[in-house]
Structure formats: C-alpha cells, structure tokens
Amino acid sequence: MALITQAIKGTQDVTPAESYKFRFIEQTCFETAHLFGFGELRTPVFEHTELFERGVGDTTDVVQKEMYTFTDKGGRSLTLRPEFTASAVRASVERGLIYDALPVKACYIGGCYRSEKPQAGRYREFHQFGVELYGAAAPAADAEVIALGMSALTELGIKKISLEINSIGCPECRAQYHNALREYYNQHLDSICDTCKERLERNPMRLLDCKAECCKEIAANAPRILDYICDDCRTHFNSVKTYLDAMGIDYKVNPSIVRGLDYYTRTVFEFISGDIGAQAAVGGGGRYDSLFRLLGGPDTPAVGFAMGIERIKMVMEAQGAEFPEPERPSIYLAPMGEAAIARCMALCRQLRDEGFAAETDLNGRSVKAQMKYADKRGFRYTCVIGDSELESGMVRIKNMETGEQTETNLATGILETLYDIGLSATLDNLNAAMEGFSGASDALSALLGDDD
Ligand code: HAM
C-alpha cells in the first residue's frame, strides 16, 4: 500500500504526541498578551496580493521570492499571508479599531506561508505569535512590546535568550545612509548577487539582509545606520534603552539588525537563541510609523513583533524547558457482553457531563484486549461491567497504578468514587483558578489599602 501523495515539503503534521506542546506555547503567549491588555485579532489566511507587495515591500526577499501567489477563479491575484502585520493594519482600518480608544493592542496566532528553502527551523508553513500596538508614538510603546515578548519567553521557561536592538532611523535620516550604502556597494558590484544588483538603486538597505552567501560577506563591512540617524531618532532610541534598563531587561545594541521587511522605522529588535542552529531568530519586530499611510489609512504610529512558534518549541526543547503534559484520561469502562455495552455508553455520557474523561469499547474486543488498550492510553482507573455486575448492581473500580480495587454501586457509585478520589479535571481547574483569583484580589486590596 502506498499513499497517493505525501505532505508538502516544508510543512509539518503535528500529531497528538506533540500538539499539546504547541497548545501550551500558544496559551502561554495569549495569556501573557492578555496581561498587557492585548486582545486577539483574527484575519484571513489569504489577502489581495497588493497588500503584501505594498506593505512588506516589493524589493524584499519575501515579496520577490517567497510568496505563495495564485489567481483565483475571478482572475484576482491572491496571496497566502507571509506575515500578519500588513493584514492587521488593513483590518484595523477596515474595521475601525483605530478610531476607538488608543492605543489599540492586538495579538494573533496563526499560519504563515513563505516559499523558502526548508531546513531545520525554516518551513514553508510556519506559525507566528505576534502583537501590534497602534496609536502610540512614544518610545515607551517600543519598550512595552519588547517587555511583552520577553515576558512570554520567560513564562515559557526559556532561560537563555538574547535581545538585540537597533535603530534604523526615519525616512529623512535614511536618505543620507542610502547614499553611503550605494557608494559602498558600487565598489563591490562584481561580488553581489543579481537580485541585489537590481535593488541597489531603489532600496539599498535590502542588500544588508540578503541570504545569498556572497552578499552576507559584503554586508558585514557595510556602513552602519547608527552613524547616520538624526537627533530625534537618536533621542527616541536612547529613551527605549532607558525604559528597558528601568524594567531590568538586558539587551545588546546590534547595529547590523535592519530586518528583512520594508516597513520599519526607528526601533528594530530580534530575540536570538544560540541553541537552535542557523535559524537563530526566535522573533523580531520594530516600529513602523509609515505603514498605515502607505496602505491608504490615516497616519498612525505602530510597533509590534512576531515570534515563530516552531522556533520557540525548538528552543524550549534544547533548553529542557517543561511542557505540562495533558491530563491522563480518568476512567475506562470495559463492557463484557451486549447488555453491558449500552450501559457503559450511557455511563460514559453521564461521566463526561460531570467533567471526567471516560471511554468505553468501540471495537467489540475481549476484556483482556480492552485492558491492554486502557493501559497503553494511560487511563487512571478501569471498571469491568458484565452480566454479573449488571445483575448484582455492584462494580469494582481498579486503580491502574496501584492495582487497588474499590467496590461500589453501579448506578451511583462510579461518579461518587471518582469525586472522592478528587479526579475531576474540571473541578481541579476551577479550584486552581479560584486560588489565583483570590491571590490577585488580595494583592489588589493591599495595593489599594483596602482593609476588608
Ligand atoms: P519576521 O522576522 O519575518 O517578522 O518573522 C518573525 C518570526 O517568524 C521570525 O523571527 C521566525 O521566528 C519566524 N519565521 C519567519 N520565517 C520563518 C520560516 N520560514 N520558518 C519558521 N519560522 C519563521 C515578521 O513577520 C513581522 N511581521 C514581525 C512584526 C510584527 N514586525 C512588527 N510587527
């Protein structure tokens, strides 16, 4: 037997044995974003191609080489999103978010599509967690989103991550820098790739992040933007650093960070890990004060970042961070004989209504085979129900770890026994949530000087 086709190169299937890790990362990221006041924004997976051509920039690698673009039945050019920022700007104007209370704080998680050469940490379908903050031009906003990124990574148990920051100035101070770059690269025209030769005139900064080996060497010695930024941009950058210092967030100024997308202005930053090989950027972002206007919206300052979920998982695994394992299922009811099947199905329904993960046989297997299954799946308790149990109205619940058996009433006892053991996942979660809530409200009362 052979499948008619296989998964597309650069895409991944995530099986239940791994998916709980992704769920943990996603949940932790959302919870952290929530603490900073960010609400989830969902946008379509595909957009009109021009959104990315204009937004990301038509001289970027992403637009020139990596987009999945197709023509739909109506003859329109559509593209699978290579990133979220352009979509989030479009949606925030189209849905009027930016006409409400500012700053707008939006976060997202979802798939992105880039036709890059697949390798460890680089996929054609990957997933990003990101945040975007609109309507705040002050440097505190830059520091705030950076702090959010650091908090999410810390909350995930990532201990070693370096934050690298830079300023790439504004359109005004960049003109002079562009001239310096053109002058430098004109001396190296023979050594750079053909794409870079083409984009040198229009967008010389794009040559700095070209992935071609020949271009990387030349880029290493190119003039640095920090030597060219204007006083306003320098003051802004200094304030960002002051706020990061105040929050105790370590960073390194790396003058070679320019980011691979065209919309950035002033602050840019990356979260870098030394534990995952060549694709070391776990996340990146920056300020992009011109993008709203470029896309036809009102002038709106903006700052944000995105992180690759797959890369976060790689770093966590490399650093031995813990992924809380999913709860083991509570109880397996093993029917013996036709009459018991219906009873077990009815009991499962009742148990699930109460929040217990309960299963029964769906294959007509022997009790021995069922027990093997229950053991393999990690059930905490099992209970065999056959004709004699139905007749006597009594069953025995077996603890799969200790082998200990508890005799109880078939009609009412299973539920009671599980409650006695304190197994209900729903109840446990509820209790934990209530503890957290009372802790938080105590802290709040203390802060407010509330004596009650
Ligand atoms: P980006 O640097 O292109 O920025 O992507 C952000 C993160 O997505 C990267 O640091 C990396 O972790 C992950 N990533 C990118 N490409 C791949 C890939 N092929 N395979 C696996 N992971 C990948 C942006 O996308 C901007 N929109 C970030 C932003 C938001 N700037 C402002 N707001």
Side-chain angles (χ1 to χ4, degrees), residues 10 12 56 62 66 82-86 108 112-134 211 259-261 263-264 269-272 276 279-288 291 302-312 314:
Q12 290 181 301
V56 173
V62 169
E66 299 168 2
E83 58 115 47
F84 279 81
T85 307
Y108 49 79
C112 295
Y113 303 84
R114 296 185 192 176
S115 176
E116 295 191 79
K117 197 159 179 262
Q119 62 180 80
R122 191 199 280 164
Y123 309 102
R124 292 183 169 166
E125 182 191 57
F126 59 98
H127 298 79
Q128 283 188 345
F129 158 66
V131 308
E132 312 291 352
L133 193 151
Y134 304 141
K211 292 182 189 107
R259 309 280 300 135
L261 314 163
Y263 43 66
Y264 293 109
F269 57 89
E270 287 181 349
F271 301 103
I272 304 286
I276 52 171
Q279 305 306 311
V282 178
R287 178 165 279 286
Y288 50 98
L291 186 57
V303 58
F305 71 79
M307 297 184 186
I309 304 270
E310 289 81 1
R311 291 195 194 166
I312 293 179
M314 285 169 73

Side-chain angles (χ1 to χ4, degrees), residues 165-379:
I165 62 172
N166 192 22
S167 173
I168 57 168
C170 59
E172 285 76 51
C173 53
R174 227 179 276 161
Q176 215 195 336
Y177 180 56
H178 281 180
N179 286 338
L181 279 179
R182 285 193 196 99
E183 209 170 290
Y184 171 78
Y185 273 104
N186 273 322
Q187 293 161 21
H188 298 279
L189 272 185
D190 293 344
S191 318
I192 59 178
C193 76
D194 288 343
T195 317
C196 282
K197 279 179 195 145
E198 275 167 34
R199 49 192 175 186
L200 177 58
E201 226 13 75
R202 274 187 63 203
N203 196 349
M205 275 173 73
R206 284 289 64 87
L207 277 67
L208 296 170
D209 56 65
C210 179
K211 292 182 189 107
E213 280 309 320
C214 55
C215 297
K216 278 189 193 165
E217 272 175 39
I218 311 283
N221 297 314
R224 299 289 165 88
I225 179 79
L226 276 184
D227 297 329
Y228 293 82
I229 62 173
C230 63
D231 288 348
D232 283 352
C233 288
R234 192 170 301 283
T235 306
H236 185 98
F237 191 45
N238 286 340
S239 297
V240 174
K241 290 190 282 182
T242 303
Y243 300 144
L244 292 176
D245 290 336
M247 289 188 282
I249 295 173
D250 288 338
Y251 57 84
K252 185 174 115 192
V253 175
N254 178 351
S256 61
I257 291 183
V258 287
R259 309 280 300 135
L261 314 163
D262 267 354
Y263 43 66
Y264 293 109
T265 48
R266 294 191 162 171
T267 317
V268 287
F269 57 89
E270 287 181 349
F271 301 103
I272 304 286
S273 168
D275 293 315
I276 52 171
Q279 305 306 311
V282 178
R287 178 165 279 286
Y288 50 98
D289 291 345
S290 313
L291 186 57
F292 274 82
R293 203 170 6 139
L294 190 71
L295 295 178
D299 242 338
T300 311
V303 58
F305 71 79
M307 297 184 186
I309 304 270
E310 289 81 1
R311 291 195 194 166
I312 293 179
K313 177 171 165 278
M314 285 169 73
V315 178
M316 289 177 67
E317 286 171 342
Q319 295 191 4
E322 266 180 48
F323 296 92
E325 292 211 11
E327 289 233 359
R328 285 166 55 194
S330 311
I331 187 160
Y332 181 84
L333 303 179
M336 224 172 23
E338 192 55 38
I341 295 176
R343 190 63 192 264
C344 284
M345 292 193 86
L347 275 168
C348 275
R349 203 169 140 80
Q350 197 189 345
L351 288 164
R352 290 172 191 144
D353 282 349
E354 297 294 321
F356 294 104
E359 286 181 45
T360 186
D361 178 51
L362 305 174
N363 299 66
R365 281 192 286 220
S366 69
V367 169
K368 195 172 160 210
Q370 291 187 56
M371 286 303 144
K372 218 167 136 190
Y373 168 81
D375 196 37
K376 230 176 173 175
R377 287 281 321 279
F379 278 89

